[in-house]
Amino acid sequence: MSATSRSQLPPKLGPFVVGAKIGGGGMAEVYLGRRDLGDVSGQNLVALKVIKDDLAGNREYEVMFDDEARILSRLDHPNIIRHVAYGRDQEFGYIAMELVLGRSLMDAWDACNKAERHMPIDLGAYVGLCVAEALDYAQKLTDESGKRLDVIHRDVNPTNIFLTYDGQVKLIDFGLAKAKGRAYKSAEGIVKGKVPYLAPEQITEEQVDHRADIYALGATIWELTTGRRLFKRETDGETIRAIKAHVIPDPRSIVDGWYPETLWKIVDRALAKDRNERHQTSGELADDLRGMLAKY
């Protein structure tokens, strides 16, 4: 179904008064929302996520958006953006999420890059630990009957990791997440996620499981702690060839000063080309990072 036009965003979506636009991504835009003063049932200020105008009415994106809302509504973890409400007001579907103040990890990476320095190694490892714990929680999530939902984020990268001004780390944007019971099914040959963080099995279009998230997080930690991009090249084609070549430089040959051998072994394992040689769960990766930080 092709996208259809719709009227301007209304002043209210459900119980929320719509404020200024504060962000956006490939599929949706995010607005500041304020709960109507006459409604005292919950959080006052929220972030309202709404499908972009040019995608409204497109059945594929509408179903993906509804799936994201259902997944978010089940997630309750300090390192995952918290769901507040979901609804549909006229032709507008919206997801209300906790309003967090801060910047994306990519913003922080860019700031370090401009200053010609990398993020402190222990801080990069700590961010990785928080995300690993979030992924482990999501991957173990069950439905009402106790069956595993096997949530796979499929888009772990620095733009989807948020650092709040009060020191929290939040994994955001489950728009591409895969889970049992999800209504939208990806077409064959369609790759999900940002290219520089795709696991080798995603490039070769194999069946993807949670170990692709572990790989993407490994790439993220490598970049955070070295101040360099791992696979990113000028074009997507060149980036894909770099992922296939799978050359992972030892950070100890890149970083000025000391780089913990323990951390390199952890990252190297998370980035194993053969997923059977990686950490087999995000919890296992989190345990390794926690142990490394305890001795740092």
Side-chain angles (χ1 to χ4, degrees):
M1 180 177 179
S2 61
T4 59
S5 60
R6 61 179 177 182
S7 58
Q8 185 178 4
L9 199 65
K12 282 186 63 178
L13 289 173
F16 303 102
V17 177
V18 179
K21 180 180 174 181
I22 56 176
M27 183 172 81
E29 294 176 329
V30 182
Y31 297 84
L32 179 65
R34 175 179 57 79
R35 194 177 290 273
D36 190 285
L37 295 178
D39 186 334
V40 294
S41 60
Q43 184 170 332
N44 185 27
L45 294 177
V46 298
L48 291 173
K49 188 171 185 178
V50 185
I51 291 181
K52 287 183 175 178
D53 280 346
D54 58 346
L55 299 178
N58 184 307
R59 178 61 179 166
E60 175 182 338
Y61 287 99
E62 294 281 358
V63 172
M64 288 174 66
F65 192 76
D66 289 346
D67 281 336
E68 179 182 6
R70 280 191 289 270
I71 292 172
L72 270 178
S73 69
R74 299 195 63 81
L75 298 172
D76 184 14
H77 188 274
N79 297 123
I80 296 176
I81 194 75
R82 184 168 57 82
H83 172 271
V84 175
Y86 169 70
R88 187 166 291 276
D89 195 325
Q90 301 173 58
E91 74 267 40
F92 296 92
Y94 65 89
I95 301 173
M97 302 170 290
E98 66 173 322
L99 180 66
V100 289
L101 302 179
R103 303 296 293 271
S104 75
L105 183 58
M106 181 56 78
D107 289 337
W109 194 93
D110 285 340
C112 289
N113 191 45
K114 288 178 182 177
E116 299 183 346
R117 58 182 298 182
H118 59 77
M119 184 175 290
I121 289 172
D122 55 342
L123 179 57
Y126 174 73
V127 170
L129 168 60
C130 291
V131 177
E133 289 179 336
L135 290 171
D136 187 53
Y137 166 82
Q139 289 156 10
K140 292 177 178 176
L141 194 68
T142 60
D143 63 14
E144 296 87 345
S145 64
K147 293 182 180 178
R148 286 274 292 266
L149 292 175
D150 293 330
V151 177
I152 310 168
H153 189 281
R154 295 198 294 183
D155 202 14
V156 176
N157 69 79
T159 62
N160 286 334
I161 299 169
F162 200 81
L163 308 179
T164 72
Y165 292 137
D166 61 355
Q168 300 178 72
V169 179
K170 299 278 187 177
L171 180 61
I172 66 173
D173 200 345
F174 280 74
L176 297 183
K178 180 180 180 181
K180 289 180 179 177
R182 183 176 177 131
Y184 175 74
K185 306 297 181 184
S186 299
E188 292 294 326
I190 301 299
V191 176
K192 299 295 185 182
K194 289 184 173 56
V195 176
Y197 302 92
L198 294 176
E201 62 268 21
Q202 290 175 284
I203 298 295
T204 54
E205 299 177 15
E206 299 174 48
Q207 185 69 35
V208 173
D209 62 27
H210 63 277
R211 290 172 292 183
D213 285 346
I214 292 171
Y215 187 93
L217 181 53
T220 298
I221 297 171
W222 189 97
E223 293 183 343
L224 289 180
T225 55
T226 64
R228 298 191 185 186
R229 300 302 297 270
L230 181 53
F231 297 120
K232 173 69 174 174
R233 302 294 188 269
E234 290 296 320
T235 68
D236 283 351
E238 291 173 322
T239 299
I240 289 172
R241 285 191 288 274
I243 294 171
K244 288 182 176 179
H246 197 71
V247 176
I248 314 292
D250 185 334
R252 295 172 297 177
S253 66
I254 297 173
V255 175
D256 291 334
W258 179 66
Y259 191 101
E261 181 180 1
T262 304
L263 179 59
W264 165 228
K265 288 181 177 179
I266 293 170
V267 174
D268 188 41
R269 183 182 176 192
L271 285 168
K273 191 169 188 178
D274 182 348
R275 55 186 165 183
N276 292 318
E277 296 179 2
R278 293 175 208 155
H279 302 84
Q280 294 302 289
T281 67
S282 294
E284 188 179 353
L285 173 56
D287 287 342
D288 280 357
L289 289 168
R290 193 179 299 106
M292 173 262 157
L293 285 167
K295 299 176 182 178
Y296 186 79

mmCIF file of all heavy atoms in Angstrom, residues 148-172:
data_model
loop_
_atom_site.group_PDB
_atom_site.id
_atom_site.type_symbol
_atom_site.label_atom_id
_atom_site.label_comp_id
_atom_site.label_asym_id
_atom_site.label_seq_id
_atom_site.Cartn_x
_atom_site.Cartn_y
_atom_site.Cartn_z
ATOM 1 N N ARG A 148 9.646 -17.475 25.734
ATOM 2 C CA ARG A 148 10.652 -16.498 25.347
ATOM 3 C C ARG A 148 10.228 -15.769 24.070
ATOM 4 O O ARG A 148 9.770 -16.383 23.107
ATOM 5 C CB ARG A 148 12.002 -17.185 25.121
ATOM 6 C CG ARG A 148 12.725 -17.613 26.378
ATOM 7 C CD ARG A 148 13.570 -16.504 26.974
ATOM 8 N NE ARG A 148 14.700 -16.170 26.120
ATOM 9 C CZ ARG A 148 15.915 -16.690 26.260
ATOM 10 N NH1 ARG A 148 16.160 -17.577 27.208
ATOM 11 N NH2 ARG A 148 16.896 -16.319 25.467
ATOM 12 N N LEU A 149 10.398 -14.439 24.069
ATOM 13 C CA LEU A 149 10.093 -13.643 22.880
ATOM 14 C C LEU A 149 11.308 -13.507 21.959
ATOM 15 O O LEU A 149 11.173 -13.130 20.803
ATOM 16 C CB LEU A 149 9.608 -12.249 23.287
ATOM 17 C CG LEU A 149 8.248 -12.203 23.975
ATOM 18 C CD1 LEU A 149 7.942 -10.787 24.448
ATOM 19 C CD2 LEU A 149 7.157 -12.676 23.020
ATOM 20 N N ASP A 150 12.487 -13.807 22.486
ATOM 21 C CA ASP A 150 13.722 -13.759 21.690
ATOM 22 C C ASP A 150 13.864 -12.423 20.955
ATOM 23 O O ASP A 150 14.002 -12.377 19.723
ATOM 24 C CB ASP A 150 13.765 -14.913 20.685
ATOM 25 C CG ASP A 150 13.880 -16.267 21.365
ATOM 26 O OD1 ASP A 150 14.471 -16.325 22.465
ATOM 27 O OD2 ASP A 150 13.373 -17.261 20.820
ATOM 28 N N VAL A 151 13.836 -11.347 21.696
ATOM 29 C CA VAL A 151 13.956 -10.015 21.111
ATOM 30 C C VAL A 151 15.387 -9.792 20.621
ATOM 31 O O VAL A 151 16.341 -9.968 21.366
ATOM 32 C CB VAL A 151 13.576 -8.916 22.130
ATOM 33 C CG1 VAL A 151 13.785 -7.539 21.525
ATOM 34 C CG2 VAL A 151 12.134 -9.096 22.584
ATOM 35 N N ILE A 152 15.525 -9.416 19.357
ATOM 36 C CA ILE A 152 16.813 -9.055 18.765
ATOM 37 C C ILE A 152 16.685 -7.600 18.310
ATOM 38 O O ILE A 152 15.802 -7.265 17.527
ATOM 39 C CB ILE A 152 17.149 -9.945 17.551
ATOM 40 C CG1 ILE A 152 16.986 -11.424 17.896
ATOM 41 C CG2 ILE A 152 18.571 -9.657 17.060
ATOM 42 C CD1 ILE A 152 17.030 -12.336 16.675
ATOM 43 N N HIS A 153 17.542 -6.732 18.798
ATOM 44 C CA HIS A 153 17.427 -5.301 18.484
ATOM 45 C C HIS A 153 17.708 -5.032 17.003
ATOM 46 O O HIS A 153 16.979 -4.292 16.347
ATOM 47 C CB HIS A 153 18.397 -4.512 19.366
ATOM 48 C CG HIS A 153 18.215 -3.031 19.284
ATOM 49 N ND1 HIS A 153 18.712 -2.270 18.232
ATOM 50 C CD2 HIS A 153 17.604 -2.151 20.116
ATOM 51 C CE1 HIS A 153 18.406 -1.004 18.424
ATOM 52 N NE2 HIS A 153 17.729 -0.901 19.564
ATOM 53 N N ARG A 154 18.765 -5.598 16.474
ATOM 54 C CA ARG A 154 19.175 -5.523 15.066
ATOM 55 C C ARG A 154 19.668 -4.154 14.610
ATOM 56 O O ARG A 154 19.945 -3.956 13.433
ATOM 57 C CB ARG A 154 18.049 -5.985 14.115
ATOM 58 C CG ARG A 154 17.692 -7.446 14.263
ATOM 59 C CD ARG A 154 16.936 -7.965 13.081
ATOM 60 N NE ARG A 154 15.624 -7.357 12.933
ATOM 61 C CZ ARG A 154 14.741 -7.709 11.989
ATOM 62 N NH1 ARG A 154 15.047 -8.633 11.110
ATOM 63 N NH2 ARG A 154 13.571 -7.134 11.929
ATOM 64 N N ASP A 155 19.785 -3.203 15.531
ATOM 65 C CA ASP A 155 20.284 -1.888 15.135
ATOM 66 C C ASP A 155 21.098 -1.261 16.270
ATOM 67 O O ASP A 155 20.973 -0.071 16.561
ATOM 68 C CB ASP A 155 19.117 -0.979 14.737
ATOM 69 C CG ASP A 155 19.545 0.174 13.836
ATOM 70 O OD1 ASP A 155 20.667 0.129 13.309
ATOM 71 O OD2 ASP A 155 18.756 1.123 13.667
ATOM 72 N N VAL A 156 21.932 -2.091 16.913
ATOM 73 C CA VAL A 156 22.791 -1.590 17.989
ATOM 74 C C VAL A 156 23.937 -0.806 17.356
ATOM 75 O O VAL A 156 24.715 -1.344 16.569
ATOM 76 C CB VAL A 156 23.356 -2.747 18.835
ATOM 77 C CG1 VAL A 156 24.333 -2.214 19.885
ATOM 78 C CG2 VAL A 156 22.221 -3.523 19.506
ATOM 79 N N ASN A 157 24.028 0.462 17.673
ATOM 80 C CA ASN A 157 25.083 1.330 17.155
ATOM 81 C C ASN A 157 25.056 2.618 17.968
ATOM 82 O O ASN A 157 24.104 2.876 18.711
ATOM 83 C CB ASN A 157 24.895 1.595 15.655
ATOM 84 C CG ASN A 157 23.697 2.452 15.354
ATOM 85 O OD1 ASN A 157 23.740 3.673 15.502
ATOM 86 N ND2 ASN A 157 22.587 1.834 14.944
ATOM 87 N N PRO A 158 26.081 3.465 17.851
ATOM 88 C CA PRO A 158 26.158 4.651 18.725
ATOM 89 C C PRO A 158 25.008 5.640 18.584
ATOM 90 O O PRO A 158 24.752 6.403 19.519
ATOM 91 C CB PRO A 158 27.491 5.295 18.312
ATOM 92 C CG PRO A 158 28.320 4.143 17.838
ATOM 93 C CD PRO A 158 27.348 3.245 17.120
ATOM 94 N N THR A 159 24.292 5.656 17.465
ATOM 95 C CA THR A 159 23.163 6.581 17.345
ATOM 96 C C THR A 159 21.966 6.101 18.151
ATOM 97 O O THR A 159 21.081 6.903 18.469
ATOM 98 C CB THR A 159 22.738 6.781 15.876
ATOM 99 O OG1 THR A 159 22.298 5.526 15.339
ATOM 100 C CG2 THR A 159 23.887 7.313 15.043
ATOM 101 N N ASN A 160 21.923 4.818 18.490
ATOM 102 C CA ASN A 160 20.797 4.270 19.250
ATOM 103 C C ASN A 160 21.149 3.980 20.706
ATOM 104 O O ASN A 160 20.458 3.225 21.386
ATOM 105 C CB ASN A 160 20.272 3.006 18.574
ATOM 106 C CG ASN A 160 19.491 3.325 17.310
ATOM 107 O OD1 ASN A 160 18.931 4.417 17.175
ATOM 108 N ND2 ASN A 160 19.460 2.398 16.369
ATOM 109 N N ILE A 161 22.236 4.571 21.156
ATOM 110 C CA ILE A 161 22.618 4.506 22.572
ATOM 111 C C ILE A 161 22.635 5.945 23.079
ATOM 112 O O ILE A 161 23.303 6.802 22.502
ATOM 113 C CB ILE A 161 23.988 3.840 22.749
ATOM 114 C CG1 ILE A 161 23.949 2.400 22.220
ATOM 115 C CG2 ILE A 161 24.397 3.852 24.222
ATOM 116 C CD1 ILE A 161 25.317 1.748 22.113
ATOM 117 N N PHE A 162 21.876 6.210 24.122
ATOM 118 C CA PHE A 162 21.684 7.578 24.601
ATOM 119 C C PHE A 162 22.348 7.748 25.961
ATOM 120 O O PHE A 162 22.183 6.911 26.851
ATOM 121 C CB PHE A 162 20.183 7.881 24.702
ATOM 122 C CG PHE A 162 19.858 9.344 24.710
ATOM 123 C CD1 PHE A 162 19.796 10.067 23.537
ATOM 124 C CD2 PHE A 162 19.604 9.997 25.912
ATOM 125 C CE1 PHE A 162 19.493 11.418 23.540
ATOM 126 C CE2 PHE A 162 19.294 11.350 25.930
ATOM 127 C CZ PHE A 162 19.233 12.069 24.732
ATOM 128 N N LEU A 163 23.101 8.824 26.097
ATOM 129 C CA LEU A 163 23.752 9.155 27.360
ATOM 130 C C LEU A 163 23.024 10.342 27.977
ATOM 131 O O LEU A 163 22.979 11.421 27.380
ATOM 132 C CB LEU A 163 25.224 9.513 27.115
ATOM 133 C CG LEU A 163 26.058 8.517 26.306
ATOM 134 C CD1 LEU A 163 27.484 9.039 26.142
ATOM 135 C CD2 LEU A 163 26.061 7.143 26.960
ATOM 136 N N THR A 164 22.454 10.153 29.147
ATOM 137 C CA THR A 164 21.703 11.237 29.772
ATOM 138 C C THR A 164 22.648 12.130 30.575
ATOM 139 O O THR A 164 23.727 11.719 30.992
ATOM 140 C CB THR A 164 20.605 10.708 30.710
ATOM 141 O OG1 THR A 164 21.215 10.168 31.895
ATOM 142 C CG2 THR A 164 19.781 9.619 30.032
ATOM 143 N N TYR A 165 22.198 13.349 30.802
ATOM 144 C CA TYR A 165 23.023 14.304 31.539
ATOM 145 C C TYR A 165 23.205 13.910 33.002
ATOM 146 O O TYR A 165 24.118 14.405 33.664
ATOM 147 C CB TYR A 165 22.410 15.704 31.457
ATOM 148 C CG TYR A 165 22.467 16.299 30.065
ATOM 149 C CD1 TYR A 165 21.372 16.975 29.537
ATOM 150 C CD2 TYR A 165 23.608 16.188 29.277
ATOM 151 C CE1 TYR A 165 21.410 17.532 28.261
ATOM 152 C CE2 TYR A 165 23.659 16.739 28.002
ATOM 153 C CZ TYR A 165 22.559 17.407 27.486
ATOM 154 O OH TYR A 165 22.604 17.943 26.240
ATOM 155 N N ASP A 166 22.366 13.019 33.505
ATOM 156 C CA ASP A 166 22.544 12.573 34.888
ATOM 157 C C ASP A 166 23.243 11.215 34.973
ATOM 158 O O ASP A 166 23.212 10.543 36.003
ATOM 159 C CB ASP A 166 21.207 12.540 35.642
ATOM 160 C CG ASP A 166 20.198 11.579 35.021
ATOM 161 O OD1 ASP A 166 20.499 11.008 33.942
ATOM 162 O OD2 ASP A 166 19.121 11.396 35.603
ATOM 163 N N GLY A 167 23.887 10.809 33.870
ATOM 164 C CA GLY A 167 24.771 9.649 33.921
ATOM 165 C C GLY A 167 24.175 8.308 33.569
ATOM 166 O O GLY A 167 24.823 7.275 33.776
ATOM 167 N N GLN A 168 22.978 8.268 32.996
ATOM 168 C CA GLN A 168 22.380 7.003 32.613
ATOM 169 C C GLN A 168 22.739 6.641 31.168
ATOM 170 O O GLN A 168 23.015 7.512 30.343
ATOM 171 C CB GLN A 168 20.861 7.065 32.742
ATOM 172 C CG GLN A 168 20.359 7.358 34.141
ATOM 173 C CD GLN A 168 18.852 7.455 34.174
ATOM 174 O OE1 GLN A 168 18.148 6.448 34.056
ATOM 175 N NE2 GLN A 168 18.340 8.654 34.332
ATOM 176 N N VAL A 169 22.708 5.342 30.878
ATOM 177 C CA VAL A 169 22.917 4.838 29.520
ATOM 178 C C VAL A 169 21.630 4.146 29.093
ATOM 179 O O VAL A 169 21.134 3.261 29.798
ATOM 180 C CB VAL A 169 24.086 3.841 29.467
ATOM 181 C CG1 VAL A 169 24.268 3.300 28.047
ATOM 182 C CG2 VAL A 169 25.375 4.501 29.949
ATOM 183 N N LYS A 170 21.071 4.568 27.960
ATOM 184 C CA LYS A 170 19.789 4.031 27.511
ATOM 185 C C LYS A 170 19.894 3.498 26.083
ATOM 186 O O LYS A 170 20.343 4.206 25.175
ATOM 187 C CB LYS A 170 18.722 5.139 27.527
ATOM 188 C CG LYS A 170 18.441 5.760 28.889
ATOM 189 C CD LYS A 170 17.476 4.918 29.699
ATOM 190 C CE LYS A 170 17.068 5.627 30.978
ATOM 191 N NZ LYS A 170 16.082 4.842 31.747
ATOM 192 N N LEU A 171 19.474 2.254 25.883
ATOM 193 C CA LEU A 171 19.329 1.704 24.541
ATOM 194 C C LEU A 171 17.971 2.133 24.007
ATOM 195 O O LEU A 171 16.946 1.960 24.674
ATOM 196 C CB LEU A 171 19.419 0.174 24.587
ATOM 197 C CG LEU A 171 19.298 -0.567 23.251
ATOM 198 C CD1 LEU A 171 20.423 -0.172 22.290
ATOM 199 C CD2 LEU A 171 19.301 -2.084 23.488
ATOM 200 N N ILE A 172 17.953 2.740 22.817
ATOM 201 C CA ILE A 172 16.710 3.268 22.258
ATOM 202 C C ILE A 172 16.431 2.655 20.896
ATOM 203 O O ILE A 172 17.231 1.909 20.348
ATOM 204 C CB ILE A 172 16.759 4.810 22.154
ATOM 205 C CG1 ILE A 172 17.831 5.234 21.133
ATOM 206 C CG2 ILE A 172 17.050 5.437 23.509
ATOM 207 C CD1 ILE A 172 17.831 6.731 20.839
#
